[in-house]
Amino acid sequence: MADRSPVLRIITSAARESLKPLGLARRGRSRLWIDDHGWWLGVVEFTPSRIAGSGLYVGAMWLWHDVDHLAFHVDAARVGSELFRNEDQFTSLALELSRQAAANVTALREKFAGLPDAARYLTSRPVRRGFLWDSFDSGIAAALVGDADSARDYFERVLREDALVPWEVNAQEKARELHAIAADRDAVTAWVTRAVDSCRSKLSLDSVPFAIS
């Protein structure tokens, strides 16, 4: 098996070349890079393989989920793992992956330039039964931009799902709370602000103002 240490070194060097100029920050000594937009993150992961190598996963994370780990709520790109064979081969591969990551980060920035853009994206997706978080996110976005009727409809969809595990029960509790205040944009904004602040704290991110734009 090839030594994993040159893999991480080469990936990190390539990511610094393509992602650092865009303002992304590396998470510690990991393969993860973060594009911080206050209420959402662009997340880049140079995914490890079972043997030395890397793939790529780029997506967006909504911080109103208030969790203590990074997550991909909107996929932007997935590239399967490529193996490390030698340093020259893998350097070329890592540079290509990092350029793909940069292009997808830029696309996410354009897609979610502001909350209205995110709301248009989230509420335009086909509703899929069983995808509870789709409706949850769409409900929050709709409520934040003042579309209370749509927000309540999305939260009702969450509540109609069969809650079989604790995280689903928790999601429905949040949806029930948000359904009750959906017509009060200030109350929803305050709820989301608390959730985002809590999530940022759990992820060791600096506190920033939550702004609807």
Side-chain angles (χ1 to χ4, degrees):
M1 180 186 299
D3 184 2
R4 288 175 182 267
S5 57
V7 170
L8 184 58
R9 172 174 53 79
I10 292 169
I11 289 171
T12 301
S13 177
R16 283 175 177 156
E17 181 177 318
S18 296
L19 301 181
K20 197 168 184 181
L22 294 178
L24 276 73
R26 185 184 179 194
R27 292 286 285 179
R29 299 176 63 82
S30 74
R31 295 174 176 229
L32 289 157
W33 290 72
I34 302 300
D35 189 29
D36 190 350
H37 296 276
W39 52 275
W40 70 277
L41 302 178
V43 183
V44 175
E45 181 179 15
F46 294 93
T47 53
S49 57
R50 292 184 179 179
I51 57 179
S54 181
L56 176 68
Y57 193 0
V58 182
M61 174 183 180
W62 311 122
L63 295 182
W64 54 61
H65 280 256
D66 190 11
V67 292
D68 62 0
H69 57 273
L70 294 174
F72 294 88
H73 298 130
V74 176
D75 289 352
R78 284 178 183 262
V79 178
S81 292
E82 297 286 346
L83 302 182
F84 175 98
R85 294 183 175 86
N86 58 65
E87 292 212 12
D88 287 343
Q89 166 265 341
F90 195 73
T91 296
S92 177
L93 171 67
L95 287 169
E96 177 57 27
L97 288 177
S98 68
R99 293 182 189 119
Q100 289 185 51
N104 282 281
V105 164
T106 300
L108 283 173
R109 289 178 174 183
E110 293 172 355
K111 181 179 289 187
F112 305 132
L115 267 167
D117 303 290
R120 279 191 293 272
Y121 168 81
L122 290 170
T123 58
S124 68
R125 298 180 300 179
V127 175
R128 302 178 293 174
R129 182 166 178 79
F131 288 80
L132 179 152
W133 289 126
D134 281 6
S135 293
F136 182 83
D137 294 334
S138 298
I140 286 180
L144 285 171
V145 296
D147 187 352
D149 290 340
S150 292
R152 280 191 290 257
D153 180 63
Y154 283 114
F155 293 136
E156 286 164 10
R157 291 178 186 274
V158 175
L159 297 172
R160 287 198 294 270
E161 295 284 348
D162 294 327
L164 303 176
V165 294
W167 70 261
E168 291 174 321
V169 173
N170 179 256
Q172 288 189 335
E173 289 174 353
K174 292 180 179 179
R176 193 171 291 109
E177 182 180 355
L178 287 160
H179 184 279
I181 62 173
D184 186 341
R185 191 182 184 196
D186 289 342
V188 173
T189 300
W191 189 100
V192 172
T193 299
R194 289 192 297 272
V196 168
D197 284 348
S198 176
C199 189
R200 292 186 65 85
S201 177
K202 290 172 183 174
L203 295 174
S204 299
L205 298 172
D206 292 338
S207 179
V208 296
F210 177 73
I212 296 175
S213 60

